[in-house]
Amino acid sequence: MVQHAENEILNTIKLCDAKGNLNPAAIGYARKPLIQSNLKGHFMRKKKWNYWCVYGDDLMFSAAISHLDYATVCFVYVLDYETQRFFEKTITMSPLGKKPKMSEHVLDTTICNHSEMKIQFLYDGYQETQITVTIPDFDGELLHADLTIHHLEEDESLNVVIPWNRQTFQFTAKHHTLPTEGYVKIGDRRYAFDRRDSYAVLDYGRGVWPRESTWNWAMASQRCRNHRVGLNFGGQWTDGTGMTENAFFFDGKMTKIHEDVIFKYDEQDLMKPWTIQTKFSNDVRLTFKPFFERVAKTDAKLVQSTVHQLFGYFEGFVKFENGQILPIRQMLGASEVHKAKW
């Protein structure tokens, strides 16, 4: 038994109809960011975010701008692989404050200005996103990041509309193996990023969510045996919708996996190995071995959220559509479980 083939979208289309409900013709996936997130209405239920994660040789750097209708939340965190120095800074701005401009298009400029944190995702309209981040007090030191993300014209990406119903739905775009260069400076320490072996992942989300949600997300973008390889798997939140966010990327070309994947892990000890496998076939057979756990909790009146994001290594294999096996060996990435009441 396998899931049905998902609808592939080949032309630009709007996510919502004139009333702000899901446009049925937008349900499906695309290899390019063809879906326009024209969200409106649904007072206090809309969720929008742009999350970047960059894997360098020595440092993992992440920055996000999100708008949840009733608050803007921005965060930046870093992980030094060798020392396991980790620090995360989050700011929450009330709806009365200045809202960030959250674009309807996946690749566009998004900026968050705050006295404690300035984040800019500047898209040049063609091939590059410039990420600049300045935080005066980041674990007692000045953080400044200046990174250039390259969008290769021939690369494919994962762009999926997940339908729970006409009133609750999500468009997610996952862009992988984006060559990145620049630097992140924390105090006196400068981390260099070289585009030959530093890769960024973009997680762009726009949707109208149910009040309570749980999801898993696993991702990695690395150079493996002189090829660019990206992994993207999601669990729980897409179950029963007929759509998945499951795919892998090989030198910029996407293999879409139409099956659900099952995440298995010990909820009492998330540092134990995880397994990630396709539900019906053996197209995905991966073990994930964590070496670091990030815990991020939000407990505001309207928002309660707990993220356990594990960093570690993937082992196993994935299969191309022709049955050929792509071995995965010691591939650095992340896997998470997120529970939200928002």
Side-chain angles (χ1 to χ4, degrees):
M1 180 182 179
V2 294
Q3 286 182 203
H4 68 280
E6 300 160 297
N7 174 48
E8 184 170 356
I9 294 169
L10 301 173
N11 299 298
T12 302
I13 195 165
K14 291 186 176 181
L15 178 62
C16 302
D17 63 17
K19 294 181 179 179
N21 294 324
L22 175 61
N23 172 13
I27 299 171
Y29 76 97
R31 297 175 187 271
K32 297 288 183 179
L34 299 174
I35 293 98
Q36 180 182 350
S37 305
N38 59 327
L39 287 182
K40 70 173 187 177
H42 301 283
F43 181 62
M44 301 291 269
R45 302 305 319 142
K46 297 185 295 298
K47 316 294 178 195
K48 305 175 184 178
W49 63 77
N50 290 46
Y51 166 93
W52 284 95
C53 185
V54 184
Y55 292 98
D57 256 2
D58 307 302
L59 187 78
M60 189 279 301
F61 174 81
S62 185
I65 299 172
S66 62
H67 189 248
L68 309 176
D69 262 4
Y70 36 74
T72 298
V73 180
C74 300
F75 59 82
V76 171
Y77 59 85
V78 300
L79 174 65
D80 183 312
Y81 309 132
E82 186 175 355
T83 65
Q84 293 203 6
R85 180 192 178 185
F86 175 86
F87 189 74
E88 178 167 5
K89 181 152 188 164
T90 303
I91 59 167
T92 302
M93 294 179 279
S94 77
L96 301 176
K98 187 177 180 182
K99 296 178 182 178
K101 177 178 173 286
M102 305 295 285
S103 173
E104 294 186 352
H105 301 282
V106 175
L107 299 178
D108 210 341
T109 290
T110 306
I111 297 172
C112 176
N113 282 323
H114 188 275
S115 60
E116 295 181 38
M117 183 183 295
K118 183 174 184 178
I119 302 176
Q120 296 186 113
F121 305 144
L122 305 175
Y123 180 57
D124 72 350
Y126 179 50
Q127 285 185 319
E128 293 180 357
T129 295
Q130 196 76 23
I131 294 181
T132 59
V133 177
T134 302
I135 302 175
D137 181 4
F138 189 80
D139 199 17
E141 297 181 298
L142 169 67
L143 178 145
H144 183 71
D146 193 338
L147 298 166
T148 301
I149 316 291
H150 297 276
H151 305 276
L152 306 184
E153 188 176 357
E154 63 276 12
D155 272 13
E156 297 177 343
S157 54
L158 177 62
N159 306 271
V160 182
V161 174
I162 303 295
W164 294 297
N165 54 53
R166 290 291 301 279
Q167 284 75 44
T168 54
F169 50 89
Q170 169 77 351
F171 169 52
T172 184
K174 302 293 200 302
H175 292 214
H176 279 263
T177 63
L178 305 174
T180 302
E181 60 191 328
Y183 68 90
V184 175
K185 196 166 185 289
I186 307 170
D188 296 330
R189 181 75 194 269
R190 190 178 191 272
Y191 297 89
F193 291 74
D194 185 311
R195 64 174 294 173
R196 288 171 296 182
D197 52 19
S198 298
Y199 296 103
V201 178
L202 169 63
D203 173 13
Y204 169 101
R206 299 290 187 272
V208 182
W209 281 71
R211 179 75 174 115
E212 296 189 33
S213 308
T214 300
W215 71 76
N216 296 119
W217 180 37
M219 57 91 167
S221 279
Q222 298 291 315
R223 181 174 290 281
C224 301
R225 296 174 299 282
N226 221 28
H227 295 281
R228 288 184 298 135
V229 178
L231 305 176
N232 197 95
F233 302 107
Q236 297 194 68
W237 74 286
T238 60
D239 291 357
T241 66
M243 296 299 303
T244 80
E245 62 163 346
N246 302 327
F248 67 91
F249 302 83
F250 186 79
D251 288 337
K253 297 302 178 185
M254 179 175 72
T255 296
K256 181 73 178 71
I257 294 166
H258 304 292
E259 283 181 66
D260 288 333
V261 297
I262 307 300
F263 286 70
K264 292 184 179 178
Y265 47 89
D266 186 337
E267 292 202 31
Q268 305 306 313
D269 185 0
L270 293 171
M271 291 293 286
K272 289 182 177 177
W274 298 34
T275 59
I276 300 169
Q277 302 181 346
T278 33
K279 188 173 183 179
F280 303 115
S281 71
N282 66 344
D283 287 353
V284 175
R285 286 291 183 269
L286 294 169
T287 300
F288 175 71
K289 297 178 180 178
F291 65 82
F292 186 85
E293 180 179 8
R294 166 189 171 238
V295 181
K297 293 186 178 182
T298 302
D299 191 4
K301 289 181 180 177
L302 284 171
V303 184
Q304 292 177 325
S305 168
T306 303
V307 183
H308 292 265
Q309 185 179 33
L310 289 298
F311 297 97
Y313 294 97
F314 291 95
E315 296 269 357
F317 66 85
V318 293
K319 280 188 181 179
F320 293 98
E321 290 175 359
N322 64 4
Q324 184 181 352
I325 286 177
L326 175 63
I328 303 297
R329 297 283 180 266
Q330 281 289 105
M331 188 175 178
L332 176 66
S335 200
E336 71 179 45
V337 55
H338 187 140
K339 296 183 180 181
K341 188 174 183 179
W342 56 351

